[in-house]
Amino acid sequence: NAGVTQTPKFQVLKTGQSMTLQCAQDMNHEYMSWYRQDPGMGLRLIHYSVGAGITDQGEVPNGYNVSRSTTEDFPLRLLSAAPSQTSVYFCATWSKTGNEQFFGPGTRLTVL
Amino acid sequence: GIQVEQSPPDLILQEGANSTLRCNFSDSVNNLQWFHQNPWGQLINLFYIPSGTKQNGRLSATTVATERYSLLYISSSQTTDSGVYFCAVGGDMRFGAGTRLTVKP
């Protein structure tokens, strides 16, 4: 039982490159979300999903796309990376009956 | 959106001391959670507490929803309690800036 996994752990991109951050869970949770954490700040919600095929925007969605084709996976796509997207990205899951959120270990992204 | 303020921003304690962390929020909420981020960056859920009081070992939390604040109590602190404590509120999980706790041996 791995819980919530994220890959890669670290990534360096050049401005304008695209990439996908992966998030997978084996907890059978309905809800999944992506956050970014900038230095000295709390987390900010980027996108979330309440089930396969359903996604919605959070507080800071610009520059990011998501899709949810299965319960287990919730990838985050950066279409054209910008230095302002340098951050640590966390994926989280929770059950619609449980409320408690479980976080992955994070991906540290640097955009040059 | 909801504004979330945490205090104090930094707290340094000797091992064994007690502490109280506060989270104020600007609007009514039906979701409030406390998290601990350890020095390696891992986030752990401590409490889901939109109202009332809960206890888990040396940690307890109280939320007074009508007055829009929540308190996290840490008793007999240990060095492993060090890290950043966040509260997050609302359906879209607005996070405060956190309280950085350092427990010295």
Side-chain angles (χ1 to χ4, degrees), chain A:
Chain A
N1 189 338
V4 184
T5 59
Q6 292 183 237
T7 56
K9 286 186 170 53
F10 302 93
Q11 183 71 50
V12 179
L13 293 177
K14 294 182 179 179
T15 296
Q17 287 184 316
S18 63
M19 80 157 296
T20 300
L21 280 64
Q22 302 291 345
C23 175
Q25 55 112 351
D26 61 3
M27 307 175 80
N28 204 29
H29 286 169
E30 297 87 352
Y31 300 160
M32 298 184 74
S33 57
W34 277 103
Y35 297 86
R36 60 177 288 172
Q37 184 178 27
D38 299 313
M41 296 178 65
L43 281 67
R44 291 184 292 169
L45 183 64
I46 304 171
H47 286 286
Y48 64 98
S49 168
V50 298
I54 306 170
T55 64
D56 206 345
Q57 298 180 349
E59 183 183 355
V60 289
N62 292 341
Y64 307 95
N65 276 0
V66 292
S67 60
R68 183 101 179 268
S69 56
T70 66
T71 300
E72 294 77 20
D73 300 296
F74 191 42
L76 178 71
R77 297 182 186 85
L78 282 69
L79 303 177
S80 178
S84 61
Q85 293 179 304
T86 293
S87 191
V88 181
Y89 291 84
F90 288 97
C91 176
T93 77
W94 70 106
S95 165
K96 64 181 178 182
T97 58
N99 298 305
E100 177 184 342
Q101 290 208 5
F102 296 86
F103 282 84
T107 293
R108 184 174 296 274
L109 176 67
T110 302
V111 183
L112 303 175

Side-chain angles (χ1 to χ4, degrees), chain A residues 35 37 40-43 45 59 90 99-101 103-105, chain B residues 33 35 37 41-43 45 48 86 92-97:
Chain A
Y35 297 86
Q37 184 178 27
M41 296 178 65
L43 281 67
L45 183 64
E59 183 183 355
F90 288 97
N99 298 305
E100 177 184 342
Q101 290 208 5
F103 282 84
Chain B
Q33 301 186 37
F35 298 89
Q37 187 169 37
Q42 181 66 39
L43 282 151
N45 189 297
Y48 167 76
F86 292 104
D92 59 352
M93 291 288 285
R94 294 293 174 116
F95 277 71

